[in-house]
Amino acid sequence: MLDELTRIVVAGAGLAAVRAAGQLRRRGYAGSLVVLGAEARAPYDRPPLSKAVLAGRRDDTALRFDPRALDVDLHLGEQVTGLDLGRRVVRTLRGEIGFDGLLVATGAAPVRLPGDGEQLTLRTADDALALRDRLRPGARVLVVGASWIGAEVATAALARGCAVTCLEAGPAPLAGALGADVGASFLPWWSGVDLRLGVSVAAVQDGGVLLTDGSAVAADVVVTATGVRPDTGWMTGSGLDLDRGVAVDEHLRASSGGVVVPGVVAAGDVAARWSPRARARVRVEHWEDAGSAGTTAAGTLLGAPGDPLPVHDPVPYFWSDQFGAKLQYVGAHGAADRPVEAPEDGRPGRTVTWLDPAGAVTAVLTVDRPRDAAAARSVVAERRELATQPT
């Protein structure tokens, strides 16, 4: 494919796009390389937004990316609006751009609640700076969703002297990610927050939110932290297979009608990839996955016919800094898997391991135990059995 490509377009300018651009040049691609970013900012890192930026320790989280050195035609503030596979054209608000190769890396957008009241989300750098400006001492901050992001927002708001309320539809914080039992074990961390469980929001209105039971909760700032959806709307009608994202195989190749579309790949939060390990289609919204996917996508685009293509199927990894602790989660557990708490051994922190019905390890959660998290990668990858059962 290397000799056949004269212009590669990357739709999106996040981590996956940056990693792909660098890899393309390192692999010898010398043709035109266009990167389209919807935001006016140069590519930046997202994980610090809910951590260092909200805490006031950083303003700039720019990625190491030099478009001049890489000979990248970087278009900032250029929103993609459509895709014509037949003509091999990407549409933007400024016109059309043809391509031989296309990487779809447009990421995801936060879920927003119904209602006309002001609600803030945390996805972009501008979001983080705007929210930080509102986290003032005494401000009544209402967080909808005791999720990973919700916990980090609550942490920052408490540290800045706000009065924090969190509304969670589930039975415990992080219940959607970790299950009700494990989530409930974190309840003591939320002691400084007015945490209300089993509560659903009907609408955001001026001065707070309306709940589904008809009552209202007042707030000066409403932050919605109930998840994201892949940004696929601009591809509607293009013919690409969409399945909770752009459906791609383990090589990150996109398809149309189940048939691989030559020269079109997707990576990052927008990609719903086939995982041979999980034997299912997965969409992983984590920094590490996006970075390695960008590298794989570049290799797939440049792969020669008949040569083995790179496979993207890493063990998922995610971390969160909340309430003074670092949580690290490795793997992915299913509904039938059971969590097992490691016995006390005198060390600070804790480790929870999920076992499938056959006793194999599918996921590990650690709290302030980075060595356990590092060791968990090979354990999960090999689906080993838990070596030591708790007493």
Side-chain angles (χ1 to χ4, degrees), residues 40-266:
R41 293 178 179 270
Y44 60 86
D45 222 358
R46 294 189 189 275
L49 298 181
S50 58
K51 302 171 179 69
V53 173
L54 277 192
R57 298 193 300 271
R58 291 177 65 180
D59 289 336
D60 181 21
T61 68
L63 290 166
R64 295 180 62 182
F65 178 62
D66 188 341
R68 289 188 179 182
L70 292 172
D71 191 21
V72 170
D73 185 8
L74 178 61
H75 297 224
L76 296 178
E78 186 155 2
Q79 178 77 46
V80 289
T81 60
L83 172 63
D84 187 328
L85 284 179
R87 297 172 53 221
R88 309 286 280 188
V89 162
V90 170
R91 301 189 185 93
T92 77
L93 293 175
R94 299 176 186 172
E96 295 184 340
I97 302 175
F99 64 84
D100 301 305
L102 172 66
L103 167 58
V104 177
T106 44
V111 173
R112 295 182 65 84
L113 298 170
D116 298 328
E118 181 189 46
Q119 58 180 301
L120 304 183
T121 56
L122 182 52
R123 181 68 180 177
T124 69
D126 288 344
D127 290 342
L129 294 172
L131 175 56
R132 187 178 71 185
D133 186 59
R134 302 288 295 277
L135 299 182
R136 300 172 182 173
R140 298 172 300 170
V141 176
L142 176 61
V143 181
V144 182
S147 57
W148 299 114
I149 291 297
E152 294 188 349
V153 170
T155 298
L158 287 175
R160 297 176 74 86
C162 302
V164 183
T165 298
C166 181
L167 308 179
E168 166 58 42
L174 301 175
L178 304 178
D181 290 342
V182 176
S185 69
F186 292 104
L187 281 171
W189 290 10
W190 293 76
S191 59
V193 177
D194 179 8
L195 176 62
R196 308 182 192 183
L197 302 173
V199 175
S200 298
V201 174
V204 180
Q205 54 190 13
D206 290 339
V209 299
L210 178 67
L211 304 184
T212 53
D213 65 5
S215 62
V217 181
D220 302 310
V221 182
V222 176
V223 184
T224 301
T226 56
V228 297
R229 293 193 180 100
D231 184 6
T232 59
W234 64 279
M235 291 173 279
T236 301
S238 67
L240 278 188
D241 293 333
L242 304 178
D243 178 10
R244 298 172 294 111
V246 180
V248 296
D249 63 12
E250 64 270 32
H251 311 296
L252 303 183
R253 299 178 298 179
S255 59
S256 178
V259 178
V260 169
V261 179
V264 179
V265 294

